[in-house]
Each structure stands twice: as structure tokens, then as C-alpha cells.
């Protein structure tokens, strides 16, 4: 078992969820994605239906929602399309991402840019969440482009 899968099953156990073979298969599928990419929820659904034809769409979507709630996966909504990826870092659950717009690779940014200014600006309000993502082209893609030129 990979360390990532162990981390995830640990979270499930702590929250009294059963480690079913369906849940394990879904987690392995997400872990196996190269370079930490976001996977459209519809692709996960398709994969699960192929592996477990008796599993309903409802159950699959419910599992994805549970994983998101537990912080095992990270969610992103791009347009109409919801996508999830396996958690980058179970120790620093709050972090941000750099996303390559060319290959879709995601890199973790451990520093949070939310500064004291924002808190001051919003004094009197209660902040419940924030999001911050940096987009661009990763080193590998830049390098590949340079080779072509
Ligand atoms: Zn992440
Ligand atoms: Zn890239
Ligand atoms: Zn932050």
C-alpha cells in the first residue's frame, strides 16, 4: 500500500467510515494520476462503473462528496465541470496551487497569501473561506516549447 493510500484510509478510519474495496479503488485511481492532475468527476464515475457495474451513480458521487468533506481530495470547479484531485499534503491541508494551463500539472504552494490587510479590511465580518490559484506554464512545458523553437 502506498503512503498516500495509508494516509487516506487513516482519515476514513478516524471518521468511522468503512474501508470498502470501492472506496479503495477510487482512491488508488486518483493516486495513480500522473503529476497530481485534477480529474473530472465524470471520469471517476466512468472508471468506477467499469470496475463495479453494480455501483450506482449516486453512491459514486456521494463517495466523492465524502472524500471532499474529509479533505482526502481537493475540489475545483472549472466552468460547469467539477474536478477533484488527491490531497497534495495531509499535514498542511490549507495550501494553494500553481496549475499549468498547458499540461494540467498541479504544484502545491504551502504559503498562504491571505494577509493581515484583508482581515483588517473585513473587520466586523466573518471569513469562512478563500481561494487563490496561480495559473501559468510549468518548467517542463516551457522547456519543451523552447526545444521546438
Ligand atoms: Zn493541493
Ligand atoms: Zn505543464
Ligand atoms: Zn490560504
Amino acid at each position: 500500500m502506498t503512503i498516500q493510500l495509508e494516509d487516506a484510509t487513516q482519515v476514513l478510519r478516524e471518521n468511522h467510515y468503512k474501508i470498502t474495496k470501492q472506496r479503495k479503488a477510487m482512491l488508488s485511481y486518483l493516486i495513480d494520476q500522473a503529476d497530481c492532475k485534477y480529474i473530472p468527476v465524470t471520469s471517476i464515475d466512468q472508471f468506477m462503473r467499469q470496475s463495479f457495474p453494480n455501483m450506482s451513480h449516486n453512491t459514486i458521487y456521494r463517495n466523492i462528496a465524502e472524500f471532499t468533506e474529509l479533505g482526502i481530495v481537493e475540489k475545483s470547479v472549472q466552468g460547469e465541470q467539477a474536478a477533484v484531485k488527491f490531497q497534495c499534503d495531509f499535514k498542511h491541508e490549507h495550501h494553494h496551487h500553481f496549475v499549468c494551463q498547458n499540461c494540467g500539472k498541479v504544484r502545491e504552494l504551502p504559503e498562504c497569501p491571505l494577509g493581515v490587510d484583508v482581515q483588517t479590511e473585513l473587520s466586523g465580518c466573518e471569513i469562512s473561506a478563500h481561494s487563490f490559484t496561480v495559473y501559468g506554464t510549468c518548467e517542463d512545458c516551457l522547456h519543451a516549447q523552447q526545444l521546438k523553437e
Side-chain angles (χ1 to χ4, degrees):
M1 205 157 52
T2 64
I3 291 178
Q4 288 166 304
L5 191 55
E6 268 174 37
D7 280 340
T9 51
Q10 175 74 18
V11 174
L12 287 174
R13 228 176 279 124
E14 278 166 7
N15 290 278
H16 312 288
Y17 282 91
K18 270 198 217 136
I19 321 282
T20 59
K21 60 176 184 305
Q22 286 88 345
R23 287 197 170 114
K24 252 183 165 171
M26 195 188 280
L27 290 170
S28 301
Y29 174 71
L30 287 166
I31 291 167
D32 286 345
Q33 300 305 318
D35 297 324
C36 206
K37 281 180 192 145
Y38 277 101
I39 309 299
V41 166
T42 46
S43 306
I44 301 171
D45 183 59
Q46 209 171 36
F47 166 78
M48 291 304 289
R49 294 277 289 187
Q50 270 163 15
S51 317
F52 306 96
N54 293 327
M55 210 174 166
S56 73
H57 291 297
N58 272 346
T59 308
I60 296 166
Y61 285 101
R62 202 182 55 232
N63 279 348
I64 297 171
E66 284 164 359
F67 287 168
T68 311
E69 201 134 301
L70 293 172
I72 294 173
V73 301
E74 303 181 70
K75 194 174 179 181
S76 162
V77 180
Q78 288 135 354
E80 303 275 283
Q81 177 90 279
V84 295
K85 63 182 282 305
F86 194 77
Q87 174 68 256
C88 306
D89 188 344
F90 281 92
K91 286 180 194 72
H92 308 97
E93 228 182 80
H94 182 82
H95 60 263
H96 297 276
H97 292 139
F98 168 76
V99 179
C100 176
Q101 288 169 298
N102 187 53
C103 68
K105 198 185 289 175
V106 179
R107 196 205 277 180
E108 181 190 349
L109 302 172
E111 297 296 325
C112 178
L114 191 73
V116 181
D117 299 4
V118 179
Q119 315 265 9
T120 313
E121 180 73 27
L122 295 171
S123 66
C125 304
E126 192 185 287
I127 301 171
S128 55
H130 67 270
S131 68
F132 174 79
T133 305
V134 182
Y135 295 95
T137 312
C138 74
E139 297 96 325
D140 292 345
C141 291
L142 277 179
H143 189 65
Q145 280 169 14
Q146 278 157 6
L147 289 181
K148 258 186 249 158
E149 276 160 15

